[in-house]
Amino acid sequence: MNDRLRELLPTAPQGANDVLFRAAAEALLGRGKRVRPVMTMLACEHVGGRAIDALDLGCAVEMIHSASLVLDDLPCMDNATLRRGAPTIHISHGEDAAILVAIALLNQAYAAVLDARTIRPEVKLAALRNLTKAVGFDGLSQGQIRDLRDTPDRRDENGLRQLNHQKTSALFINALESGGAVGGATADQIRSLASFGEAIGFAFQLRDDLMDAVVSSEETGKDERQDAGKITFLDLWGEERLRAAIDESLERAREAIGPDSSLSRYAERLMRNAHLER
Ligand code: GRG
């Protein structure tokens, strides 16, 4: 995966200013878990396709995710100093470079889908259309502005569910649906993958909220207590109920696609994170 991500990143022309290229490589090739691209590939395999055919699409999703992390870390958003175990991009290269890296990675993601040789043209177009939805007004961007600006009275259970859907689940659902489409999924299979993505995205955000509160920054590679001052499900529900909700969501995910799928097994391993075991 890392090799392909590296190949899909342009290198600076000889003698050119290479700040954007170096900063983009740092943002993309750092110590991320690669959860979304792995799911894209497993979704393709789940419906009978070859995982490798969905590799470039998965890399595109990872580029979008990495761009969103660079923006999320900016001083005007979460003001984070540490990400994936390294200084955040605006700390190492400046805010100007960080903003431009995010824009460049987002564009490179769309280019990677357009250029993918293993994806049929009509599937590419649908994947691009879905990516624009996952990033825009009903996806990451809207989820993020709500996370930054919603007043506490809007952060009730319903509000937080919607926010988490836009901020986190939308990209998971997209990664899974598009991976399935590359593998030739039927409409029913796409619906199952979307339900799986919804459940896993929710569980993943709950897990992220819990890790923020109870795991050290050496283990997460991120600043600690980044959510302090924001109402999350941990505040609404407390730790016990939140852990139970993670288990329930995992169960729903398993039911959506079946327990024997390698996707289900991957999700299970991901959630049984050593740092959160008791
Ligand atoms: C224009 C791309 C774009 C985004 C604009 C900034 C923004 C809107 C959205 C940020 C949304 C955000 C930070 C969601 C959090 C999702 C989440 C749970 C991140 C952690 O994902 P992991 O654990 O991280 O997969 P690694 O580092 O392992 O990849």
Side-chain angles (χ1 to χ4, degrees), residues 46-47 177 184-196 256-257:
H46 177 74
V47 301
E177 285 182 335
T186 63
D188 268 356
Q189 286 174 319
I190 296 281
R191 270 191 291 276
S192 306
L193 287 168
S195 305
F196 175 85
I257 57 162

Side-chain angles (χ1 to χ4, degrees), residues 79-268:
N79 196 17
T81 61
L82 192 67
R83 170 73 72 177
R84 293 175 164 176
T88 47
I89 301 302
H90 66 272
I91 295 283
S92 42
H93 298 281
E95 278 180 60
D96 48 358
I99 291 168
L100 294 167
V101 157
I103 295 171
L105 280 177
L106 191 57
N107 274 284
Q108 196 62 17
Y110 297 132
V113 178
L114 281 170
D115 293 345
R117 296 225 177 93
T118 53
I119 309 179
R120 282 181 291 123
E122 66 275 19
V123 175
K124 265 185 204 178
L125 272 186
L128 281 173
R129 186 71 195 88
N130 286 338
L131 280 174
T132 64
K133 284 190 197 152
V135 172
F137 289 95
D138 192 26
L140 288 172
S141 303
Q142 174 67 358
Q144 179 74 353
I145 193 80
R146 291 182 60 178
D147 199 25
L148 295 166
R149 301 280 186 96
D150 269 5
T151 46
D153 58 306
R154 286 178 179 261
R155 295 179 85 103
D156 57 5
E157 181 170 333
N158 232 352
L160 274 185
R161 275 187 191 275
Q162 269 181 12
L163 190 161
N164 286 351
H165 171 87
Q166 292 167 327
K167 202 179 101 162
T168 303
S169 307
L171 197 56
F172 274 95
I173 295 171
N174 180 275
L176 287 150
E177 285 182 335
S178 300
V182 173
T186 63
D188 268 356
Q189 286 174 319
I190 296 281
R191 270 191 291 276
S192 306
L193 287 168
S195 305
F196 175 85
E198 178 69 61
I200 285 300
F202 187 58
F204 195 79
Q205 184 58 53
L206 294 181
R207 171 188 170 280
D208 201 65
D209 293 348
L210 185 57
M211 299 234 339
D212 181 77
V214 304
V215 177
S216 71
S217 86
E218 290 88 72
E219 284 157 329
T220 60
K222 300 195 273 187
D223 295 326
E224 281 172 33
R225 315 296 169 257
Q226 199 67 48
D227 293 339
K230 274 185 197 163
I231 297 173
T232 69
F233 272 107
L234 188 58
D235 305 293
L236 288 190
W237 286 349
E239 188 172 334
E240 287 313 307
R241 185 164 169 209
L242 185 136
R243 284 181 182 271
I246 293 178
D247 290 342
E248 281 161 25
S249 300
L250 261 181
E251 185 52 37
R252 272 196 296 123
R254 262 193 302 269
E255 276 167 16
I257 57 162
D260 293 332
S261 158
S262 43
L263 248 182
S264 285
R265 286 196 295 274
Y266 175 70
E268 192 91 35

